[in-house]
């Protein structure tokens, strides 16, 4: 496993490995071959880079839920996004879209890949939040838990969907 720090400064992207696991005797070099971004101020690497260069924020008025009960109604929401598989949680849909860009950028989409040499690492503090909300509502209403919703709530779900897609 490794942690890569990507930074943007003075019009340039830089990437640097800040931590690598493994014994001293068995370290391998790691190459970042592709990047994918899907965020509120850019739905691909080029748009994100341009927004950062211009100092544009992605904070806008929320459209995914009613914010009338809150004094601040803005958030960093990815708007006008649709994924063909609506059964997946929105977090998984967004992760898959960013992964698709990274795979395309890397040029590994049509190459015979060695599965033991390619990994998926995603940093997150939660799994599928919208699935978690639906699960809580269902249990509050006395309904049984849906196995698909249970799977979409787990922390590893986004990496799982990406790994399954590019297996």
């Amino acid at each position: 496993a490794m942690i890569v720090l990507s930074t943007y400064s003075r019009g340039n992207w830089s990437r640097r490995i800040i931590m690598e696991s493994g014994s001293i005797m068995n370290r391998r070099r790691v190459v970042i071959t592709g990047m994918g971004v899907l965020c509120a101020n850019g739905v691909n690497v080029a748009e994100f880079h341009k927004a950062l260069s211009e100092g544009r924020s992605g904070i806008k008025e929320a459209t995914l839920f009613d914010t009338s009960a809150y004094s601040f109604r803005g958030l960093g929401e990815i708007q006008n996004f649709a994924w063909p598989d609506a059964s997946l949680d929105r977090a998984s849909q967004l992760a898959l879209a960013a992964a698709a860009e990274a795979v395309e950028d890397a040029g590994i989409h049509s190459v015979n890949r060695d599965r033991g040499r390619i990994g998926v690492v995603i940093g997150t503090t939660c799994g599928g939040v919208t699935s978690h909300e639906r699960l809580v509502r269902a249990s509050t209403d006395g309904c049984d838990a849906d196995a698909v919703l249970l799977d979409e709530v787990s922390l590893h779900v986004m990496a799982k969907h990406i790994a399954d897609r590019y297996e």
Side-chain angles (χ1 to χ4, degrees):
M2 74 171 172
I3 297 174
V4 177
L5 176 64
S6 294
T7 57
Y8 178 79
S9 176
R10 296 188 184 113
N12 295 308
W13 281 98
S14 66
R15 296 178 199 94
R16 142 176 89 104
I17 297 174
I18 58 173
M19 186 196 85
E20 228 181 321
S21 67
S23 70
I24 295 173
M25 303 293 281
N26 190 22
R27 288 192 184 239
R28 291 188 224 169
R29 292 190 175 258
V30 176
V31 177
I32 298 167
T33 56
M35 293 191 310
V37 174
L38 199 72
C39 65
N41 62 345
V43 294
N44 58 48
V45 173
E47 285 182 19
F48 178 66
H49 180 264
K50 185 174 184 198
L52 286 179
S53 299
E54 295 171 355
R56 272 189 287 122
S57 169
I59 305 300
K60 300 175 187 137
E61 186 153 339
T63 63
L64 292 176
F65 60 92
D66 180 16
T67 59
S68 60
Y70 305 102
S71 60
F72 183 75
R73 295 185 173 94
L75 56 103
E77 176 184 282
I78 299 164
Q79 298 178 342
N80 304 316
F81 172 79
W83 187 256
D85 186 353
S87 69
L88 298 177
D89 188 88
R90 183 170 167 84
S92 292
Q93 294 173 9
L94 297 170
L96 281 164
E101 182 184 14
V103 167
E104 182 71 27
D105 186 38
I108 60 173
H109 55 283
S110 62
V111 177
N112 185 10
R113 301 177 295 268
D114 179 356
R115 290 173 45 185
R117 296 180 54 92
I118 297 175
V120 176
V121 179
I122 294 180
T124 183
T125 58
C126 61
V129 175
T130 54
S131 293
H132 187 260
E133 281 183 26
R134 290 195 315 256
L135 191 61
V136 169
R137 283 191 186 124
S139 66
T140 305
D141 294 341
C143 300
D144 290 332
D146 180 352
V148 173
L149 281 180
L150 284 172
D151 187 40
E152 286 298 308
V153 170
S154 64
L155 290 174
H156 73 280
V157 70
M158 292 170 275
K160 172 194 167 296
H161 287 306
I162 293 168
D164 288 348
R165 169 123 339 168
Y166 296 102
E167 134 175 88

